Amino acid sequence: MKITSYITVLLCTFACFSCSDDKTVGFGVDKDAVQMGAEGGKYTVRVAAGNDWIATTDEPWITISPANGRGSVDCQLIIDSALLASPRRGVVRIQDQKTRDHREITIDQQGFDYAITVDKPEVSVDNYAVYGTRYFEVKVKTNVDFDVEVPESSQSWLKFDRYTVEFDRGIRPREITVRFNWGINSQPNERIADISFKPKESVELARQDKLLVTQKAAEPIVENTREGDSVALLAVARTLELWSSWEGTGEKMDNWSGVELWEEGMKGYTEQKKGRVKYASFFMFNTKEEIPFEVQYLTAADELRFFSNENGCMKSLNTGEHITKLTQLRRLTISAYGLTELHPDFRNLANLEYLDLSSNNFQTIPADLNKTNFPKLRTLILNANTRHNIYDLSNTVETNYGGFSDEEEFPRRMIEWDLDTLVLSVNYLRGPLPAMEDYEKYTEQDIIDADTLPRALIGTPKVMPHTKRFAINLNRLTGELPAWLLYHPALDWWAPFQLVFTQEGKTLEGNMAGFSNEPINMNYYYEFYKGFKNPDADEEDETPDNK
């Protein structure tokens, strides 16, 4: 009985040891090397162990999950995206905590090839779209900083906004959005631009995409015809976003408001002009651009008028080149449009007799406005070129407030022009009026030729002898009124107490604007012209204290 029990115990003990040996697991991993692409990703390895173990690495771009455990388990190696173009290597160590035995897994990751790619290599745009919608965006994927190169022949109509390529976390590919802005195509021909993306540094690119931009041709307008004029008027109104357009009225162009057509008997009429646009007015609109290109097709127009652009005082616009092609124009008004400059070709309008550029935002009187460029001009209106009223120029933080405020002194070239009408009222012109002592003087022959002039005028500067209307009121002028103005033959016609003498506000120096020798009435003037002018005709110019 005892022998039997002893044998039984031995057998059970042996069985237990046999069972324990069967469950023993050898320590190891199923991979000792991993190859990973530049994009990074996850890789699974099998850890075989019978004891506790721990996984470590010195590389921040490698993560092990789980990083420790007991027994056999699947681990994920998480590899970050590469940072550089060159390859890199890292090592993961897995160690048995009991036996201190370890295994290593070598991880080799390729670097990114240098490349510049675009999401859409071809883009097509219309010839026209509403302002603010004429753009498209391209997503550029790159791991090298680049310049956008637009062909010189396309730079006039295709531009791009500023962009930034930041490699704050290495040169892994980044997606950059580049916005391109396109201009209206006024020609009946398609336009094409081949855009390149050039790396700023010398690297070898594995891929370098280009961008092909195609712009549709403009719908042709039949030039020098009545039909072409009507299409041009509607197109200009559409582009300006005219508040009240002729489109959809169902009326013939003969009945369009603000439009006058050439008819037989009109001055300047020819058979070729019959029924075409002689005059057109564009009133109350909202544009942030130059005068539309379709205006160039109004080749029979004698007068055009653009007036009242919404929030014009906040805009800084150029006339654009298209209006300058209408060299036949005699009268032109571009008022309250938001102009700060004229196109360099504006001088082509040499046949102008009347020009109104009032209520714009000019900092200086455009240099091209002179008697050499416009020999036929008789009326020039430049009043109210102020963005807003500033009473005290010495006590303001405002800049770029218009009103010819960059003119350092009164523009002598304007009064040397001898126009019939010159209006410079309500601006920020400053300083004294020029005395003009070095200018041409009235002579004995002048008195003989004009029996309305007194001999006392001889020796006085002969400034603007043909000017019937002169207005400089509500500027910031100071100093003395010169003799040529105080005794000008047309002074009483100019309504001087309203339109000449009256100034407003304070100058840049903080002084009150106004002339130091402003007369209190016109008695001195009528005494000077006694026998030559009728003082009774201008009694209203006398001040109440002197009647």
Side-chain angles (χ1 to χ4, degrees):
M1 213 35 210
K2 289 182 178 179
I3 295 173
T4 303
S5 298
Y6 181 75
I7 294 172
T8 301
V9 172
L10 287 174
L11 290 172
C12 289
T13 301
F14 180 80
C16 287
F17 277 110
S18 298
C19 182
S20 177
D21 289 342
D22 290 343
K23 292 183 178 180
T24 299
V25 176
F27 178 70
V29 292
D30 65 345
K31 293 287 187 298
D32 60 2
V34 172
Q35 299 292 325
M36 182 62 66
E39 296 81 6
K42 297 178 180 180
Y43 197 92
T44 302
V45 297
R46 178 71 177 176
V47 177
N51 303 314
D52 291 341
W53 56 269
I54 187 169
T56 60
T57 181
D58 290 336
E59 300 294 343
W61 50 277
I62 302 174
T63 304
I64 307 102
S65 179
N68 57 72
R70 172 178 293 178
S72 301
V73 69
D74 286 340
C75 286
Q76 278 197 333
L77 304 181
I78 304 170
I79 314 300
D80 288 350
S81 171
L83 296 176
L84 305 174
S86 57
R88 62 184 175 179
R89 171 173 286 186
V91 176
V92 173
R93 174 189 285 255
I94 302 176
Q95 187 173 54
D96 188 310
Q97 293 292 78
K98 183 176 181 180
T99 66
R100 312 309 293 176
D101 191 12
H102 72 274
R103 299 288 184 273
E104 290 185 348
I105 304 173
T106 302
I107 300 172
D108 286 305
Q109 184 178 30
Q110 297 299 313
F112 280 108
D113 289 332
Y114 286 112
I116 303 175
T117 62
V118 296
D119 63 335
K120 41 188 176 185
E122 295 187 9
V123 173
S124 177
V125 298
D126 289 330
N127 77 296
Y128 169 83
V130 175
Y131 182 84
T133 65
R134 296 196 289 268
Y135 70 90
F136 62 87
E137 295 180 337
V138 173
K139 296 186 183 301
V140 182
K141 194 172 184 180
T142 181
N143 59 343
V144 59
D145 201 357
F146 62 88
D147 290 318
V148 177
E149 294 191 356
V150 178
E152 186 175 353
S153 59
S154 303
Q155 291 176 6
S156 61
W157 65 275
L158 189 61
K159 306 180 186 302
F160 56 89
D161 289 349
R162 181 179 299 178
Y163 61 91
T164 302
V165 183
E166 294 183 352
F167 293 109
D168 53 336
R169 296 175 56 198
I171 59 171
R172 66 187 65 182
R174 308 300 172 89
E175 189 171 79
I176 311 300
T177 299
V178 181
R179 174 167 167 161
F180 289 87
N181 303 288
W182 51 271
I184 297 172
N185 185 5
S186 61
Q187 303 301 318
N189 303 310
E190 184 180 71
R191 295 197 289 204
I192 297 176
D194 199 359
I195 312 299
S196 299
F197 302 88
K198 297 293 183 66
K200 289 185 176 181
E201 55 186 287
S202 181
V203 296
E204 183 176 347
L205 295 177
R207 178 176 171 184
Q208 183 179 16
D209 288 353
K210 287 191 173 185
L211 172 64
L212 182 68
V213 181
T214 304
Q215 184 174 38
K216 297 177 182 178
E219 295 185 11
I221 294 178
V222 183
E223 298 185 47
N224 302 320
T225 65
R226 174 189 170 96
E227 293 76 14
D229 284 2
S230 64
V231 173
L233 287 178
L234 294 175
V236 171
R238 175 194 63 183
T239 304
L240 289 176
E241 297 184 35
L242 208 68
W243 289 14
S244 179
S245 177
W246 307 286
E247 198 163 3
T249 61
E251 292 281 348
K252 294 175 60 178
M253 189 167 60
D254 307 61
N255 300 322
W256 287 1
S257 175
V259 176
E260 183 180 359
L261 306 182
W262 282 102
E263 296 179 0
E264 189 174 355
M266 291 180 170
K267 182 180 179 180
Y269 171 85
T270 64
E271 279 298 315
Q272 290 75 21
K273 295 179 181 179
K274 183 177 182 180
R276 296 192 62 198
V277 171
K278 179 181 187 294
Y279 162 84
S281 176
F282 302 90
F283 174 62
M284 297 185 70
F285 45 84
N286 182 19
T287 184
K288 298 178 181 178
E289 297 184 287
E290 61 192 32
I291 296 173
F293 74 87
E294 293 93 347
V295 74
Q296 66 187 304
Y297 297 108
L298 300 175
T299 54
D302 188 65
E303 178 178 3
L304 293 177
R305 186 170 183 263
F306 301 86
F307 178 66
S308 191
N309 188 7
E310 183 177 322
N311 293 323
C313 64
M314 301 172 62
K315 296 171 180 175
S316 299
L317 304 177
N318 187 301
T319 57
E321 64 176 318
H322 307 295
I323 189 71
T324 70
K325 297 179 181 180
L326 299 182
T327 57
Q328 83 288 346
L329 282 175
R330 288 193 314 110
R331 298 173 62 88
L332 176 62
T333 297
I334 310 176
S335 179
Y337 195 93
L339 295 179
T340 55
E341 57 183 357
L342 305 178
H343 190 275
D345 291 339
F346 196 81
R347 66 182 64 185
N348 293 343
L349 303 179
N351 285 313
L352 284 178
E353 299 172 12
Y354 174 98
L355 178 60
D356 181 353
L357 295 175
S358 61
S359 301
N360 284 295
N361 306 319
F362 292 103
Q363 289 289 114
T364 61
I365 297 175
D368 282 342
L369 291 182
N370 57 61
K371 57 184 177 182
T372 300
N373 292 337
F374 298 91
K376 297 182 180 180
L377 196 70
R378 300 313 307 154
T379 296
L380 179 59
I381 302 177
L382 293 170
N383 63 293
N385 270 271
T386 55
R387 291 186 186 270
H388 46 264
N389 184 49
I390 300 175
Y391 183 82
D392 187 351
L393 296 183
S394 68
N395 186 28
T396 180
V397 296
E398 296 281 349
T399 59
N400 192 32
Y401 43 79
F404 310 131
S405 55
D406 286 350
E407 294 281 350
E408 296 184 357
E409 56 186 18
F410 187 87
R412 171 171 169 155
R413 63 189 185 279
M414 291 291 102
I415 57 177
E416 290 179 342
W417 201 338
D418 191 24
L419 298 163
D420 289 343
T421 296
L422 176 61
V423 180
L424 296 168
S425 305
V426 196
N427 287 300
Y428 296 120
L429 295 174
R430 60 185 189 271
L433 292 172
M436 307 295 283
E437 291 298 333
D438 58 342
Y439 202 63
E440 177 187 1
K441 307 291 197 303
Y442 282 99
T443 65
E444 179 80 26
Q445 189 60 47
D446 291 324
I447 305 306
I448 296 172
D449 293 342
D451 57 5
T452 58
L453 300 180
R455 292 183 54 80
L457 198 61
I458 296 174
T460 303
K462 189 178 179 181
V463 181
M464 299 190 299
H466 300 99
T467 301
K468 303 300 186 293
R469 182 186 176 199
F470 179 55
I472 54 173
N473 59 304
L474 301 182
N475 278 282
R476 301 296 184 272
L477 298 171
T478 55
E480 290 190 354
L481 290 164
W484 66 261
L485 189 145
L486 285 172
Y487 297 99
H488 195 284
L491 180 64
D492 54 346
W493 298 346
W494 294 350
F497 286 98
Q498 290 77 39
L499 300 179
V500 179
F501 300 153
T502 307
Q503 301 300 304
E504 179 184 53
K506 292 186 176 182
T507 66
L508 286 171
E509 297 74 29
N511 301 320
M512 289 299 300
F515 299 108
S516 59
N517 60 338
E518 177 183 337
I520 59 174
N521 56 43
M522 294 290 286
N523 289 346
Y524 80 95
Y525 183 81
Y526 297 129
E527 183 66 26
F528 185 80
Y529 282 94
K530 189 173 184 179
F532 296 90
K533 287 179 177 288
N534 179 9
D536 296 335
D538 292 272
E539 285 183 349
E540 67 275 14
D541 285 329
E542 293 188 351
T543 59
D545 294 337
N546 292 279
K547 282 188 177 180

